[in-house]
């Protein structure tokens, strides 16, 4: 288990170490929920346009799925109690943080990442369009990377 933890910390620090003033601002922007509101509204519009009568059920299903995903990630965080890297006493001084924000006590696993992949998976199944699916999964990966950055 020690080797896995070392590898995990090394990979995290490697990914976290690639930063700069431009990227700090860009990642902070990408990390905020507000920036994605137009994207979410576009998905809602596409669901309503495509599924008309059934759109309300689909939107309720998406809302419920996000709630389950979010609460499941919180449950795992509280069960595992793995310190968020920015709060881990062993590496916190090596972690680059943006605007001094270090997040909550536990970071495994990211609710942001879980929720965005939930949206991506459902939307990809709903629209069955290769370009759309690639785009929405790239979006989920970018949002997930902001959690590491």
């Amino acid at each position: 288990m020690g080797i896995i933890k070392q590898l995990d910390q090394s990979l995290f620090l490697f990914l976290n170490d690639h930063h700069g003033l431009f990227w700090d601002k860009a990642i902070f922007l990408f990390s905020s929920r507000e920036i994605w509101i137009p994207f979410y509204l576009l998905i809602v519009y596409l669901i309503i346009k495509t599924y008309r009568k059934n759109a309300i059920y689909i939107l309720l299903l998406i809302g419920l799925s996000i709630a389950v995903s979010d609460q499941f990630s919180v449950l795992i965080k509280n069960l595992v109690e793995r310190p968020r890297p920015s709060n881990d006493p062993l590496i916190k001084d090596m972690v680059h943080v943006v605007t001094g924000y270090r997040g909550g006590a536990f970071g495994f696993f990211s609710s942001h990442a879980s929720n965005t992949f939930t949206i991506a998976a459902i939307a990809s199944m709903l629209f069955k369009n290769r370009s759309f699916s690639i785009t929405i999964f790239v979006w989920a990966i970018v949002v997930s990377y902001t959690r590491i950055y």
Side-chain angles (χ1 to χ4, degrees), residues 18-31:
H18 292 79
H19 56 82
L21 187 57
F22 169 80
W23 287 113
D24 283 359
K25 290 179 181 183
I27 294 297
F28 182 75
L29 184 65
F30 279 11
S31 189

Side-chain angles (χ1 to χ4, degrees), residues 31-147:
S31 189
S32 69
R33 291 179 185 106
E34 295 79 17
I35 190 71
W36 298 108
I37 289 173
F39 188 62
Y40 297 142
L41 291 175
L42 175 63
I43 292 171
V44 169
Y45 169 76
L46 292 173
I47 289 169
I48 292 169
K49 182 179 175 198
T50 306
Y51 291 95
R52 300 197 187 275
K53 291 187 284 184
N54 293 322
I56 189 70
Y57 302 114
I58 292 169
L59 293 171
L60 287 171
L61 174 67
I62 291 171
L64 180 62
S65 298
I66 293 168
V68 168
S69 168
D70 190 71
Q71 292 309 298
F72 183 71
S73 68
V74 171
L75 173 69
I76 297 299
K77 283 179 192 182
N78 290 330
L79 288 174
V80 173
E81 294 185 343
R82 178 181 176 196
R84 188 178 298 267
S86 58
N87 294 321
D88 186 334
L90 298 174
I91 64 170
K92 72 179 185 180
D93 294 330
M94 294 182 270
V95 175
H96 172 73
V97 295
V98 178
T99 68
Y101 179 71
R102 292 190 172 271
F106 307 126
F108 180 78
F109 54 91
S110 167
S111 297
H112 256 83
S114 177
N115 296 342
T116 56
F117 269 96
T118 297
I119 293 168
I122 293 171
S124 179
M125 287 186 289
L126 285 172
F127 297 116
K128 295 179 174 87
N129 176 291
R130 183 175 167 84
S131 296
F132 178 83
S133 294
I134 290 169
T135 300
I136 200 159
F137 277 105
V138 166
W139 162 74
I141 291 167
V142 168
V143 171
S144 297
Y145 178 72
T146 69
R147 312 326 300 153

